[in-house]
Amino acid sequence: MDPIDTGSGSILRQPKAVWATAGASVVAFMGIGLVDPILPSIAEGLDATAGQVSLLFTSYFLITALAMLVTGFVSSRIGGRRTLLLGLALVVVFAGFSGTSGSVGELVGFRAGWGLGNALFVSTALAVIVGAAAGGSAAAILLYESALGLGMACGPLLGALLGDASWRYPFFGTAALMAVGFACIAAFLTEQPRPARKTSLLDPVKALGHGGLASTAVSAFFYNYTFFTVLAFTPFVLDMSPYRSGAVFFAWGVLLAVFSVIVAPRLQKRFGSLRVLGGSLVLLAVDVLVLGHGGHTAAVACTVLSGALIGVNNTVYTELALGVSDAPRPVASAGYNFVRWFAAAAAPFFAPRIEEWSDVHMPFTVAAVTAVLGALVVLVRRRSLTAEAEELRPRHATEDGVSVFAN
């Protein structure tokens, strides 16, 4: 099947509201990798250490994790459109403030506010796209995955292009783009139907009582530690100019997008989701080991290659989290993300400190171990990750929900 043919028509034939939300989603995901190529420049400009600058990721994802407990609570009460606009407004404000920072402490704080806005937006965007898209949920999910991949690819490129002049410009650029996204959603998106039942703050935590969802979240926690060691710590190891580092992570993002949207579904169909996930995690562990212990050329090649493996993992984890339990998709997604994003906050914090305590190779060794641990969870808990998913998939196929920002 053509990757853009969902069986109900092309994903390209969509209402303006869908394109407005998808476009804003691209920019939202750009914000994750935006700072990658300019981390050394930020450290130099603010007279900060690598460990201090890495807190830009830690504060961002720590707030994102905690916000997952409130996003469903908020959107079920004020509606998807208002939640998107609130999230975008927060990103515009805090991304703009980030560019004015006079110290690394200020920048870390502003990134935390940015993380709150991004959590509100991305946790609601897929639900809105599914509700407004033509061609059914399959077309909507594929469009969302495409937006995610494009954003992850273009974020480092934008950071490099604007950051070559000043590390402040990428933040101002993101604020401007998100302001455009805010205007488009305000103009083209009408309010979506609200869920019949309002989500409580404890619902996501209760959902983790399901063994399959808890196993998915724990495995993804270990995987995310590996993922964000690559994303947040590798720029310091590569030690390249913003342009060169941006090019490396642009190639990384392109592979992430291609393997997430096109390759992963075909591998799953042929080998099964759990085999694909376990094998990809083991390969990621090997890749990260070579990245950390090889020469500079090997580090560049393995950084780019990791994008392909990360893309496959993201897709499989997304499907497992949304289909393995009987909880509504928004609730299952929130519980899953609440667990796994803590690893995204932990990796940028611990990697530089592990280097200080040992050497530059050890953070990647630890990251390889966590990838293997993620695979072991899949192996040990494979029965709980398959039976329930197969039983519940037909029901979830027609149920609107939010992304696991899995991606």
Side-chain angles (χ1 to χ4, degrees):
M1 178 181 292
D2 190 307
I4 64 170
D5 181 4
T6 64
S8 301
S10 171
I11 65 170
L12 301 179
R13 301 189 186 98
Q14 300 294 341
K16 291 180 180 179
V18 173
W19 286 118
T21 307
S25 298
V26 172
V27 182
F29 288 117
M30 286 171 62
I32 297 177
L34 178 81
V35 299
D36 254 28
I38 57 172
L39 285 175
S41 299
I42 294 174
E44 182 179 352
L46 295 179
D47 193 25
T49 65
Q52 290 173 321
V53 172
S54 69
L55 293 176
L56 297 179
F57 285 99
T58 298
S59 64
Y60 182 92
F61 287 113
L62 181 61
I63 296 301
T64 296
L66 294 173
M68 286 301 160
L69 297 180
V70 303
T71 52
F73 178 88
V74 172
S75 64
S76 66
R77 285 162 174 77
I78 69 174
R81 180 177 182 272
R82 291 180 179 178
T83 304
L84 289 180
L85 292 175
L86 174 61
L88 287 172
L90 289 173
V91 172
V92 170
V93 170
F94 285 105
F97 282 160
S98 295
T100 67
S101 301
S103 68
V104 69
E106 287 184 9
L107 184 54
V108 168
F110 292 142
R111 279 282 285 182
W114 185 343
L116 173 60
N118 220 43
L120 288 170
F121 177 84
V122 301
S123 65
T124 311
L126 181 57
V128 171
I129 290 176
V130 168
S137 61
I141 292 172
L142 185 55
L143 182 62
Y144 185 83
E145 293 280 356
S146 301
L148 182 150
L150 183 61
M152 293 293 283
C154 292
L157 191 61
L158 178 67
L161 293 175
L162 297 179
D164 190 59
S166 170
W167 65 264
R168 300 180 186 273
Y169 290 169
F171 297 110
F172 294 138
T174 300
L177 289 172
M178 289 304 256
V180 172
F182 182 98
C184 290
I185 288 178
F188 298 120
L189 181 65
T190 58
E191 187 56 83
Q192 304 295 298
R194 300 184 190 182
R197 176 181 175 275
K198 293 181 179 179
T199 302
S200 77
L201 293 175
L202 293 179
D203 281 350
V205 177
K206 292 178 181 177
L208 291 170
H210 185 278
L213 182 61
S215 299
T216 303
V218 171
S219 178
F221 175 90
F222 289 123
Y223 156 66
N224 264 33
Y225 186 96
T226 307
F227 177 178
F228 284 92
T229 297
V230 173
L231 192 63
F233 187 67
T234 301
F236 293 103
V237 176
L238 296 180
D239 193 24
M240 303 167 77
S241 68
Y243 273 126
R244 290 175 181 266
S245 182
V248 169
F249 278 97
F250 174 72
W252 169 87
V254 168
L255 283 185
L256 187 153
V258 170
F259 275 74
S260 177
V261 177
I262 298 175
V263 178
R266 296 180 179 180
L267 290 175
Q268 288 174 273
K269 183 177 180 180
R270 181 170 182 179
F271 300 106
S273 294
L274 297 189
R275 288 182 180 179
V276 170
L277 181 59
S280 182
L281 286 169
V282 172
L283 289 175
L284 181 62
V286 174
D287 179 86
V288 170
L289 274 179
V290 177
L291 193 164
H293 292 267
H296 189 266
T297 300
V300 171
C302 288
T303 299
V304 174
L305 179 60
S306 70
L309 301 170
I310 288 169
V312 170
N313 292 334
N314 285 348
T315 295
V316 180
Y317 275 120
T318 299
E319 294 187 4
L320 285 176
L322 294 184
V324 77
S325 77
D326 56 357
R329 275 181 170 177
V331 175
S333 168
Y336 165 79
N337 278 297
F338 174 69
V339 173
R340 79 182 187 111
W341 286 120
F342 277 110
F349 177 82
F350 284 112
R353 286 156 182 80
I354 292 172
E355 180 196 14
E356 294 173 2
W357 300 333
S358 53
D359 55 45
V360 73
H361 309 297
M362 188 56 66
F364 295 101
T365 302
V366 173
V369 171
T370 57
V372 172
L373 288 175
L376 285 176
V377 172
V378 172
L379 176 64
V380 173
R381 299 288 296 170
R382 61 188 180 279
R383 290 187 178 180
S384 66
L385 292 173
T386 53
E388 293 94 334
E390 292 300 324
E391 179 182 346
L392 294 167
R393 187 168 289 115
R395 181 180 69 82
H396 283 303
T398 58
E399 178 186 335
D400 290 352
V402 300
S403 167
V404 291
F405 184 28
N407 305 308

